[in-house]
Amino acid sequence: MCLLTERMIVTILQRFEKATQEEKPDFTDIRHEALGISKTMWKSIMIIISEMGLIKGTTKIPDGDSKLDYVVINDARITLKGRDYLADYYNALKVLGVSTEISV
C-alpha cells in the first residue's frame, strides 16, 4: 500500500474514532475535497476501509459510469478492528521514533 493511501486511511479512521464522542458527527472534514485527493482515490480508500472491516455502516451506491461505487458514510462508525489498526499504526511509529501527535 502506498504511503499516501496509508496516511489517508489513518486520517479517516482517526475521524471515525473521534466521531464516537459526538452526538451528530459531521464528516465533511474527511471528504475528498477536504483531504485534497481525487474523488476516485477517496472512493477507493473508503471501499478498502469498508471491505477490510475497519468501519461499518457504510452504504455503497452506483456512481454513474464510474467503475467505483460511491460510499455513503452518514451512519458509519469505526470497528474494533479499525481501532486495532490505529493502535498498530501508532505502535509502529513509536518503534520508529516518530511522533504520534497527529491531528484531524
Side-chain angles (χ1 to χ4, degrees), residues 26-95:
D26 175 14
F27 294 113
T28 56
D29 55 346
I30 56 170
R31 297 286 184 198
H32 71 94
E33 302 93 339
L35 295 173
I37 58 176
S38 70
K39 182 178 179 182
T40 301
M41 183 170 189
W42 185 86
K43 289 191 301 182
S44 296
I45 291 169
M46 292 306 299
I47 290 168
I48 289 168
I49 291 172
S50 181
E51 290 178 352
M52 287 177 67
L54 304 178
I55 59 173
K56 67 179 182 177
T58 59
T59 304
K60 289 193 262 182
I61 56 174
D63 190 9
D65 294 329
S66 176
K67 294 182 212 176
L68 298 171
D69 290 337
Y70 190 77
V71 180
V72 178
I73 60 173
N74 294 340
D75 295 324
R77 57 201 166 280
I78 192 167
T79 63
L80 182 57
K81 188 174 182 179
R83 289 174 189 245
D84 288 343
Y85 187 96
L86 284 177
D88 290 345
Y89 180 81
Y90 293 138
N91 288 333
L93 290 179
K94 286 179 187 175
V95 167

Side-chain angles (χ1 to χ4, degrees), residues 2-21:
C2 82
L3 189 58
L4 177 60
T5 301
E6 179 75 20
R7 181 68 186 110
M8 290 296 114
I9 289 172
V10 169
T11 299
I12 292 166
L13 288 177
Q14 287 174 322
R15 181 63 186 98
F16 278 108
E17 186 169 43
K18 181 180 174 187
T20 63
Q21 301 172 31

